[in-house]
Amino acid sequence: MRTASFLAFIVLLATVSFAQGPIHEQLSIDATDAPRNIIHSVVTIPVAPGPTTLVYPKWIPGNHRPTGPIQNLTGIHVKAAGQEIPWQRDLEDMYAFHLQVPAGVKELQVAFDTITYYEKRSLSSTKVLDLVWNQEVLYPQGIGIDDVQITASVRLPEGWKFGTALDVAHQSGNTVEFAPVTLNRLVDSPLIAGLYYRQVQLTPPGEKPVHVIDMVAESPDELEITDKDLASYKQLVAETGKLFGARHYEKYHFLLTLSDETAHHGLEHHESSDNGAAEDMFENPNSHNLEADLLPHEFTHSWNGKYRRPAGLVHLNYQQPMHGDLLWVYEGMTDYWGNILAARTGLRSPEQFRENLAYTAAMLDHRAGRTWRPLQDTATSVQILFAAAPEWQNWRRSADYYPEGYLIWLEVDSIIRRQTAGKKSLDDFCRLFEGGQSGPPKVVTYNFDDVVSALNQVTPYDWAKLLRDRLDSKSPHAPVGGIENDGWKVIYNDKKNVTMEAAEKVGDSLDLSFSLGIIVTKKGEVRDVIPGMPAYAGGLAPGMTIVAVNGRKYSKDVMRAELHLAMQNQKPIALLCENADYYSTYNVDYHGGEKYPHLVRDQAKPDVLSTVVKPLAAGQ
Ligand SMILES: [Zn+2]
């Protein structure tokens, strides 16, 4: 299997590299209209006379999906020596534009606008911009992304500053030109900009590679990182040094946009990560708790995802489909490290770490869809999962390869520790598999057998069977072996879970997944219902709105009070619901009160979990 996939890769490489030689594009971006959520670009593309096809990036690294926002590409005008050239979109491939290059013409100027709304949120606001280069470029079909050199420049709104891993060639006023890079490197190096900007250093002076956080925000107050957080992020750099033993970049920029106007997200790159978080991340303890693993997660990807990458996620250009089948490693193990490193660096307290893990295990243990859809299929079907509506998510399953990957890698860690009497752990696997030689960005591919082989080098075990069992299982229960091997158990009681409470305070949902089996907004809108749980048995469905609980107008407090009262009697809880234009009362026979998950110690076993989150580097 290893040889076959490697050969396929070489054959494809050969086919494409014969298509066209290296070219050099000029990309000039006018981002001064970012506050109006539109960007203006001109790209100059070398061409030969005759029929030519230009393409817009479709399969986006890190998204693992065909999410290039082609619908946002507007105002297209193609010119050669000042003359307009007609273009035609391909009848099947919406990302391809066909045109005829006249005799004597050596380059085309393509002017276009891109609308910055992306998956419902904008990438810009009146004060900030997240400039994602793959949305601002066209290139000839068939050429490899390492065969396109680009000299990019950007004009920013007056007074805005920026952060990026790209090298600046020169700057004049608010126009910046970057040193030429390949299209691959350009797309891997986003830029954030804003009226309010701050850079903080994480590496001691004179030490290499340099690590910085570049921040932009909606107001200057939000840039006030606390001393404790600054110490944690410095610790994060030190921890990854100890964990991986090598770095595959020459500098690293944490790009952090603190805005509630733009999308909250994270996207990994070799030498930077593009992080969008809540405006109050540094000052609101609940936002802080929920966002604590964001930077650790995206940073981990520099090793796990960018340097070591599943062969099916390496592409020669952005039009080539990707395979998501190993995302339980790419994302699942990164989810594990994001959470473990958040704890090792003090970004989360030990209690916050355990409450988060308890919630993750409980959520997955109440995923009804796991009886029809094995975890493997959630990874394989990444191309369609994110486009799904939130309704019936529990039955459909979501990108569960993230949180369930976390549980599986915790179990793998616990087995390594048990087999080696505590001498080795998943840390050793990471050093072996993701470490290697320090140097500039590069990609080393792997497949399933490579993962198994590296695990066997750490300690012999039937890893292939364990992993396939976990990935192909249709058990109704989540794999909590790691938690249990490490001396803890998941229990439920009426005490609120810290992670769920933070989510309730920051968001607008009341999560009653583990009691009624329902998630409701503060307005009573039913977000999801869990098949097999009481609300489902009573007839509720996502999309309904709960208007009244036992005859009283719905609020979160009323719902909680009635749940409590129902513990004292035998009467079902009557939920008056609006379902489009219809009203019905649904009787839910439930008397267990509120229930939330927690981890408690299993005194029969040693507490290994607390060892797992101990920092490796000195200084904490
Ligand atoms: Zn990720």
Side-chain angles (χ1 to χ4, degrees):
M1 186 162 171
R2 183 180 180 182
T3 314
S5 58
F6 183 66
L7 272 179
F9 180 74
I10 295 293
V11 168
L12 194 54
L13 183 69
T15 312
V16 172
S17 64
F18 282 120
Q20 293 188 52
I23 60 162
H24 195 138
E25 295 190 358
Q26 303 279 334
L27 173 62
S28 170
I29 295 179
D30 177 357
T32 54
D33 264 345
R36 297 207 293 175
N37 300 311
I38 193 161
I39 308 265
H40 316 290
S41 296
V42 179
V43 60
T44 305
I45 306 172
V47 285
T52 284
T53 301
L54 301 179
V55 289
Y56 184 71
K58 179 177 183 180
W59 290 80
I60 307 306
N63 272 335
H64 326 301
R65 297 171 280 149
T67 49
I70 186 68
Q71 67 281 9
N72 287 342
L73 187 63
T74 57
I76 307 166
H77 287 283
V78 183
K79 287 188 176 169
Q83 298 297 308
E84 184 100 15
I85 306 277
W87 53 266
Q88 273 189 319
R89 195 187 300 262
D90 189 85
L91 287 170
E92 292 181 354
D93 180 358
M94 297 292 109
Y95 290 75
F97 300 89
H98 304 298
L99 34 87
Q100 189 72 29
V101 180
V105 166
K106 290 186 176 153
E107 61 181 32
L108 299 175
Q109 280 83 38
V110 188
F112 55 89
D113 298 331
T114 51
I115 296 157
T116 62
Y117 283 96
Y118 179 64
E119 296 191 338
K120 295 185 188 152
R121 298 288 286 272
S122 179
L123 290 173
S124 61
S125 80
T126 302
K127 303 281 173 55
V128 302
L129 165 67
D130 182 4
L131 187 64
V132 180
W133 301 99
N134 61 270
Q135 298 186 9
E136 308 299 332
V137 73
L138 290 158
Y139 66 108
Q141 187 176 50
I143 198 165
I145 51 179
D146 284 320
D147 284 334
V148 182
Q149 286 278 318
I150 297 203
T151 302
S153 68
V154 58
R155 190 170 152 228
L156 295 168
E158 204 64 49
W160 285 30
K161 297 192 176 67
F162 67 94
T164 177
L166 290 174
D167 292 330
V168 174
H170 53 83
Q171 185 167 0
S172 165
N174 55 339
T175 300
V176 193
E177 186 177 307
F178 298 98
V181 286
T182 62
L183 175 58
N184 191 1
R185 192 78 174 258
L186 184 74
V187 168
D188 193 53
S189 311
L191 172 149
I192 59 167
L195 186 58
Y196 306 113
Y197 167 86
R198 184 180 173 197
Q199 185 181 74
V200 293
Q201 300 288 328
L202 299 178
T203 315
E207 220 174 84
K208 293 247 165 131
V210 166
H211 299 77
V212 298
I213 307 180
D214 294 294
M215 292 185 273
V216 294
E218 297 292 337
S219 79
D221 295 354
E222 291 146 9
L223 300 173
E224 294 300 319
I225 184 170
T226 63
D227 290 346
K228 183 174 181 300
D229 279 342
L230 190 53
S232 289
Y233 288 120
K234 286 178 178 173
Q235 177 79 9
L236 176 61
V237 174
E239 285 297 321
T240 51
K242 286 276 181 195
L243 178 60
F244 297 108
R247 300 188 189 278
H248 309 289
Y249 49 82
E250 292 176 314
K251 69 245 176 207
Y252 194 88
H253 290 250
F254 292 94
L255 306 175
L256 178 58
T257 302
L258 298 160
S259 171
D260 293 337
E261 308 291 320
T262 57
H264 291 173
H265 71 291
L267 191 61
E268 64 274 16
H269 303 285
H270 283 280
E271 300 202 303
S272 63
S273 52
D274 191 358
N275 307 279
E279 274 177 46
D280 59 1
M281 171 174 131
F282 291 128
E283 53 188 347
N284 178 335
N286 293 312
S287 298
H288 187 280
N289 182 11
L290 296 175
E291 308 276 18
D293 60 317
L294 176 63
L295 270 59
H297 177 111
E298 303 305 342
F299 190 30
T300 298
H301 271 314
S302 183
W303 292 266
N304 184 41
K306 303 310 288 190
Y307 167 57
R308 290 311 305 267
R309 200 176 310 168
L313 290 175
V314 174
H315 52 186
L316 296 158
N317 60 54
Y318 304 121
Q319 318 315 118
Q320 188 187 330
M322 295 173 170
H323 300 164
D325 55 330
L326 284 168
L327 282 172
W328 54 275
V329 188
Y330 183 120
E331 294 295 358
M333 192 161 64
T334 304
D335 199 273
Y336 172 86
W337 284 118
N339 284 293
I340 299 299
L341 288 168
R344 287 186 185 175
T345 55
L347 287 165
R348 279 204 186 109
S349 70
E351 193 207 1
Q352 287 173 332
F353 160 74
R354 286 194 300 269
E355 288 282 274
N356 178 281
L357 179 54
Y359 168 71
T360 300
M363 180 272 287
L364 291 165
D365 208 47
H366 288 75
R367 269 281 198 248
R370 58 187 311 121
T371 57
W372 74 268
R373 184 175 220 165
L375 187 70
Q376 179 63 68
D377 188 59
T378 69
T380 302
S381 62
V382 58
Q383 298 173 32
I384 54 175
L385 271 180
F386 285 87
E391 288 81 11
W392 291 111
Q393 176 175 285
N394 189 279
W395 180 239
R396 180 192 294 117
R397 297 197 80 169
S398 184
D400 290 356
Y401 52 87
Y402 283 84
E404 198 156 322
Y406 176 14
L407 295 189
I408 291 171
W409 288 107
L410 185 70
E411 185 178 13
V412 169
D413 175 80
S414 75
I415 293 169
I416 297 173
R417 287 175 196 267
R418 188 182 67 206
Q419 297 293 99
T420 62
K423 288 190 185 66
K424 289 187 177 175
S425 68
L426 196 65
D427 299 17
D428 296 272
F429 169 80
C430 277
R431 207 178 170 88
L432 177 70
F433 197 66
E434 322 271 0
Q437 288 260 260
S438 289
K442 71 171 188 174
V443 180
V444 179
T445 61
Y446 64 83
N447 58 30
F448 180 85
D449 292 346
D450 296 324
V451 176
V452 169
S453 163
L455 283 167
N456 273 314
Q457 283 182 59
V458 176
T459 191
Y461 191 76
D462 196 349
W463 295 113
K465 180 177 187 313
L466 177 95
L467 292 172
R468 285 263 56 101
D469 281 355
R470 296 293 171 268
L471 293 165
D472 300 332
S473 169
K474 290 185 188 171
S475 161
H477 292 297
V480 293
I483 295 171
E484 293 177 359
N485 293 345
D486 285 354
W488 294 77
K489 293 184 285 200
V490 182
I491 57 116
Y492 296 85
N493 62 28
D494 62 358
K495 188 176 159 237
K496 285 183 186 169
N497 172 287
V498 169
T499 301
M500 295 173 71
E501 194 173 17
E504 187 179 329
K505 284 184 175 160
V506 168
D508 67 351
S509 290
L510 173 61
D511 189 344
L512 300 173
S513 288
F514 314 115
S515 46
L516 283 180
I518 195 170
I519 300 171
V520 200
T521 69
K522 64 182 174 191
K523 291 180 188 160
E525 297 149 328
V526 179
R527 285 276 181 258
D528 208 7
V529 170
I530 302 179
M533 297 287 285
Y536 178 85
L540 269 79
M544 294 178 177
T545 299
I546 301 175
V547 179
V549 186
N550 287 337
R552 188 168 182 192
K553 187 178 172 186
Y554 171 87
S555 71
K556 290 199 296 187
D557 288 345
V558 166
M559 178 65 107
R560 285 201 156 102
E562 294 300 328
L563 272 174
H564 189 73
L565 275 176
M567 294 176 77
Q568 333 289 333
N569 61 49
Q570 303 299 311
K571 284 188 293 187
I573 301 168
L575 299 174
L576 174 62
C577 294
E578 186 185 336
N579 188 9
D581 287 348
Y582 294 88
Y583 288 80
S584 301
T585 296
Y586 298 91
N587 292 315
V588 179
D589 194 14
Y590 177 72
H591 306 279
E594 291 182 66
K595 282 188 183 170
Y596 304 101
H598 306 281
L599 294 191
V600 293
R601 277 281 291 123
D602 174 358
Q603 298 297 344
K605 295 174 184 168
D607 176 10
V608 179
L609 193 62
S610 298
T611 307
V612 174
V613 294
K614 275 207 182 109
L616 303 180
Q620 212 197 8

